Amino acid sequence: MKLICFLFFIPFILFSQNENQFLTSQKDIFIEQNNQGKFGIVNSKGVVLVPIVNEYIKELWQGGGFIVYEEITVDGPDYKEGVIRFYDKNIKDLFGRTFTRINNAGDNTLICYDKNLCGVYKKTGEIIAPICFSEIVSLEGKLFWFYVDASLRGSLSTILSSKTISENKLPLNVNIADLDGYNLFQGVFNQDGVLVCNGQFRIVEIITYDGNNSLFAVQNQKLFMENDGETNFAIMNGSGELVSDYIYSEVIKIDGQIIGEISTETELKRVPLNNQGIPIK
């Protein structure tokens, strides 16, 4: 299970009056490249708004702002990493800091990385979730699935409401593969940075995603530990409500149909579920 957030960008269109300038969606605003191959942003009067010293600049789809790569250390096919700033459509450096990677995450949000940790920011400058997560997936910018260090299980709600995290609580910059596979912490928060479920889940698998109509298969950390790793999944909706007991060994989709699998000593029973996670009779 993993959704991939793709970046969608406006293609550069050559500006006929200056072969080193490229049109943007903003009136009288151009991306300019100098003879040394560096990029900046200028207006129609030639005033430099972003110094022409950067490795690359991309404009987000539908005038969502500009991602400015001061340096590029990883030049991948789907994303770039390095020293990166975000400028809004008014060419303002909203966050006043650099990131190592920025993903477009919906009409109004960005997932911003500092090395291996990430958080969610609004394109208007506000923080939705501070940088402390190992992974975040945007569900159309309405909900956000997350994977975070289990040490934050009891404090994450406070961290999200305060929009900050103290240095002594900040998880190590480690890859997900290095995290403890026994004591895990996954969950979902909304576009206001509010948890839609408490910190009781070790695994949250995305079944469908459509705001509050989303469905997730969730595994409870406490039950997992009490049963020495033997526990089932329940179904949770996008509001954080459990719509089933912990009865499913797995929840899958086959040809668009949601199936809950119930394992017994003698058989594997497959239960078709509707879009609310309720068994179809």
Side-chain angles (χ1 to χ4, degrees):
M1 179 286 301
K2 187 171 181 181
L3 300 180
I4 302 175
C5 290
F6 291 100
L7 297 178
F8 294 93
F9 299 108
I10 294 177
F12 290 164
I13 303 173
L14 196 61
F15 179 52
S16 59
Q17 295 184 21
N18 186 333
E19 64 180 9
N20 292 324
Q21 289 184 340
F22 305 92
L23 287 172
T24 73
S25 65
Q26 304 306 311
K27 184 179 180 181
D28 297 328
I29 298 297
F30 306 92
I31 295 171
E32 182 168 317
Q33 183 180 19
N34 66 16
N35 293 333
Q36 288 74 47
K38 301 297 185 179
F39 291 85
I41 299 177
V42 302
N43 65 20
S44 58
K45 296 180 181 180
V47 176
V48 176
L49 306 176
V50 175
I52 309 174
V53 296
N54 303 285
E55 294 295 318
Y56 198 53
I57 295 177
K58 286 184 175 180
E59 184 181 14
L60 292 175
W61 182 250
Q62 294 181 338
F66 298 87
I67 295 180
V68 176
Y69 299 85
E70 296 181 359
E71 297 178 16
I72 296 176
T73 56
V74 176
D75 195 359
D78 298 324
Y79 66 90
K80 302 178 189 298
E81 292 184 357
V83 180
I84 306 169
R85 290 184 185 272
F86 174 76
Y87 289 79
D88 69 3
K89 63 182 180 180
N90 298 313
I91 324 300
K92 181 180 179 182
D93 180 4
L94 287 183
F95 307 127
R97 58 159 295 175
T98 61
F99 304 95
T100 55
R101 179 177 161 193
I102 297 176
N103 283 357
N104 197 27
D107 293 339
N108 304 308
T109 51
L110 302 163
I111 298 176
C112 299
Y113 292 76
D114 184 352
K115 298 179 182 178
N116 291 321
L117 298 178
C118 58
V120 181
Y121 290 68
K122 291 184 179 180
K123 293 176 183 176
T124 50
E126 298 93 343
I127 297 175
I128 294 177
I131 294 178
C132 63
F133 297 85
S134 299
E135 186 176 3
I136 294 174
V137 175
S138 171
L139 306 181
E140 299 183 341
K142 300 175 182 177
L143 296 175
F144 297 87
W145 173 93
F146 68 81
Y147 193 153
V148 72
D149 192 282
S151 64
L152 301 182
R153 192 181 302 277
S155 59
L156 186 59
S157 180
T158 300
I159 291 169
L160 286 170
S161 63
S162 66
K163 311 300 181 187
T164 188
I165 180 171
S166 60
E167 288 290 333
N168 64 330
K169 287 188 176 181
L170 194 66
L172 296 175
N173 258 308
V174 297
N175 289 312
I176 289 177
D178 297 327
L179 296 177
D180 178 6
Y182 191 78
N183 189 18
L184 306 178
F185 184 12
Q186 297 179 5
V188 180
F189 57 81
N190 65 20
Q191 58 192 343
D192 296 317
V194 177
L195 287 173
V196 300
C197 53
N198 295 323
Q200 71 266 40
F201 301 126
R202 66 181 306 273
I203 292 179
V204 175
E205 296 183 349
I206 302 166
I207 304 171
T208 63
Y209 56 98
D210 180 20
N212 289 339
N213 295 320
S214 302
L215 286 180
F216 306 89
V218 297
Q219 192 178 76
N220 186 287
Q221 177 69 36
K222 182 179 179 181
L223 293 177
F224 179 85
M225 298 181 72
E226 288 176 349
N227 294 283
D228 197 25
E230 296 293 330
T231 189
N232 290 320
F233 288 89
I235 304 293
M236 180 184 76
N237 64 24
S239 299
E241 301 168 336
L242 294 184
V243 297
S244 80
D245 293 328
Y246 291 93
I247 58 174
Y248 299 112
S249 57
E250 191 173 4
V251 182
I252 58 177
K253 290 184 75 174
I254 300 177
D255 296 330
Q257 176 63 59
I258 304 170
I259 302 291
E261 294 187 343
I262 300 177
S263 299
T264 68
E265 293 182 358
T266 58
E267 65 176 349
L268 175 64
K269 182 179 179 182
R270 286 186 163 178
V271 181
L273 307 174
N274 64 19
N275 290 335
Q276 285 76 49
I278 306 301
I280 299 174
K281 297 181 180 180

